[in-house]
Amino acid sequence: MKAVCWNGKHDVRVETVPDPQILNPRDAIVRITTTAICGSDLHLYNGYIPSMLPGDVLGHEFMGEVVEVGSEVRELSTGDRVVAAFSIACGGCFHCQRQQFSLCDNSNPSAATTEKIYGHSPCGIYGYSHMMGGYDGGQAEYVRIPFADVGTIKVPEGLRDEQVLFLSDIFPTGYMAAENANIEPGDVVAVWGCGPVGQFAIRSALMLGAERVIAIDREPYRLDMAERAGNVESMNFEKVNVVEELIERTGGRGPDGCIDCVGTEALGHGAGAIFDWAKQIARLQSDRPNVLRQAMQACRKGGSISIPGVYGGIIDGVNFGSAFNKGLTFKMGQTHVQKYMQPLMERVQRGDIDPSFVISHQASLEEAPKMYETFKWKQDECMKVVMKPAA
């Protein structure tokens, strides 16, 4: 089959790889009908995530048709149309029983390695390094789905792929990010990063009762999309001092909730941002915490900071004393996608939201190398790329 494979920094290729096989009786094989490039994939593309090997199949946002099921799969049949959660989870361990699916104890075969870095291992993730299990991803014609009954949701009749594809990751990620910000009716919420996750975090914050959302980015087309959600103000971080501007716009108090949808490759200006970039390039630190610093400074006393943006390791220069003395609450982590798939599917069915609004580019699988480059450099006002393996 054809698949998008990682071969080094800024080097992805469409290659012929072996078709996936049933390896466990709880597996299913899915023929991919639609897949996407995620902002998290750019961390792989840019060479910041360790334990990638040449030939690794990329992609963790995908959906398709079930073509084969293992002997212990009970909920799926061949021909079912499904969306797969990027977080691979067994459904039965301590964490899965508490709907903490991204913390599953049984889905990462590389757990022993990851525990040495983080103390404990998160779940396995499709196409996201051997530290996260070495699973083949879904930017391919076919994919193996472990724990298939737990990791998929069937698509109701009448919904297009583009309406439900993002239940695999970015819609639940944005929603959980807003939920983690502890939003109460009337709150002011600041969102850093107006890419796809940021767009869903903005709309989810409004769904959860935020009175105002302040969207922070530097790309006019992304800020324009954010403003179209309603009750959203934009802020270009290249034109203002973000912390001072946020405090001024909130009457000196600061936002009630701050959501960092950027993570490891945060941009910025000033000495701190330049120093972060230099240290990351020199491999002296793994992440650039510019947004995290701003959120901690700007957030009101007693407020909440939500972090859906991916961080990979050790960071410097974070004023933790600020967080302590302001009594801030932090909530973060990989998304417990399975927890949110059904309720968000129902929102799509009711017409509360059509997630396809973020799609700016559609392409074939063969165009993946070009699309990665377009997405990375935000060429042609690129917001979200979806690919059709059969195209």
Side-chain angles (χ1 to χ4, degrees), residues 40 43 173-174 176-178 180-181 189-195 197-199 201-202 214 216 246 257-267 287-296 299 304-312 315 318 329-333 335:
S40 298
H43 302 323
T173 295
M176 185 172 120
N180 282 348
V189 177
V191 177
W192 277 259
C194 294
V197 169
Q199 299 292 340
I202 288 164
I214 302 172
I216 305 161
L246 284 172
C258 294
I259 304 178
D260 172 3
C261 295
V262 182
T264 183
E265 294 186 71
L267 299 172
D287 304 88
R288 302 197 296 259
N290 186 58
V291 165
L292 188 57
R293 281 196 293 263
Q294 290 180 354
M296 291 167 67
C299 192
S304 297
I305 294 181
S306 169
I307 310 172
V310 173
Y311 284 88
I315 53 179
V318 172
T329 296
F330 287 77
K331 295 190 77 173
M332 65 195 81
T335 308

Side-chain angles (χ1 to χ4, degrees), residues 11 41 173 176-177 195 205 277 279 289 292 314 338-340 350:
D11 184 1
D41 291 327
T173 295
M176 185 172 120
W277 177 82
K279 286 193 294 184
L292 188 57
I314 296 169
Q338 292 88 333
K339 175 181 176 180
Y340 297 98
R350 290 197 302 266

Side-chain angles (χ1 to χ4, degrees), residues 131-364:
M131 191 169 70
M132 298 301 179
Y135 290 98
D136 284 344
Q139 291 173 8
E141 294 181 303
Y142 295 88
V143 69
R144 178 175 75 95
I145 308 290
F147 307 111
D149 284 335
V150 180
T152 61
I153 185 171
K154 294 180 187 178
V155 179
E157 290 292 330
L159 293 176
R160 297 175 290 110
D161 279 19
E162 291 78 6
Q163 290 176 281
V164 296
L165 171 63
F166 304 131
L167 292 171
S168 61
D169 179 0
I170 56 174
F171 188 8
T173 295
Y175 192 89
M176 185 172 120
E179 196 174 74
N180 282 348
N182 299 318
I183 295 168
E184 297 181 358
D187 276 358
V188 179
V189 177
V191 177
W192 277 259
C194 294
V197 169
Q199 299 292 340
F200 282 111
I202 288 164
R203 284 157 178 78
S204 298
L206 295 170
M207 287 182 197
L208 293 174
E211 182 175 310
R212 295 163 58 203
V213 175
I214 302 172
I216 305 161
D217 204 288
R218 67 173 181 174
E219 299 293 338
Y221 73 94
R222 287 155 61 120
L223 292 169
D224 288 345
M225 179 177 282
E227 288 182 340
R228 290 198 291 273
N231 296 327
V232 177
E233 307 166 22
S234 63
M235 183 184 300
N236 187 324
F237 68 76
E238 291 193 327
K239 296 182 178 180
V240 298
N241 180 301
V242 171
V243 174
E244 291 178 359
E245 184 73 9
L246 284 172
I247 292 173
E248 180 178 338
R249 291 196 194 186
T250 55
R253 179 179 293 168
D256 302 284
C258 294
I259 304 178
D260 172 3
C261 295
V262 182
T264 183
E265 294 186 71
L267 299 172
H269 49 79
I274 295 170
F275 194 43
D276 285 340
W277 177 82
K279 286 193 294 184
Q280 192 181 51
I281 292 297
R283 296 297 190 263
L284 297 176
Q285 71 173 6
S286 56
D287 304 88
R288 302 197 296 259
N290 186 58
V291 165
L292 188 57
R293 281 196 293 263
Q294 290 180 354
M296 291 167 67
Q297 287 291 110
C299 192
R300 73 158 169 85
K301 292 182 289 186
S304 297
I305 294 181
S306 169
I307 310 172
V310 173
Y311 284 88
I314 296 169
I315 53 179
D316 296 335
V318 172
N319 185 357
F320 201 73
S322 169
F324 175 82
N325 284 291
K326 292 170 70 173
L328 301 181
T329 296
F330 287 77
K331 295 190 77 173
M332 65 195 81
Q334 299 285 4
T335 308
H336 309 309
V337 176
Q338 292 88 333
K339 175 181 176 180
Y340 297 98
M341 292 177 94
Q342 185 59 44
L344 295 182
M345 178 76 81
E346 291 170 4
R347 283 190 176 271
V348 175
Q349 286 182 283
R350 290 197 302 266
D352 296 346
I353 186 170
D354 181 349
S356 66
F357 77 91
V358 297
I359 299 172
S360 60
H361 291 66
Q362 299 204 40
S364 67

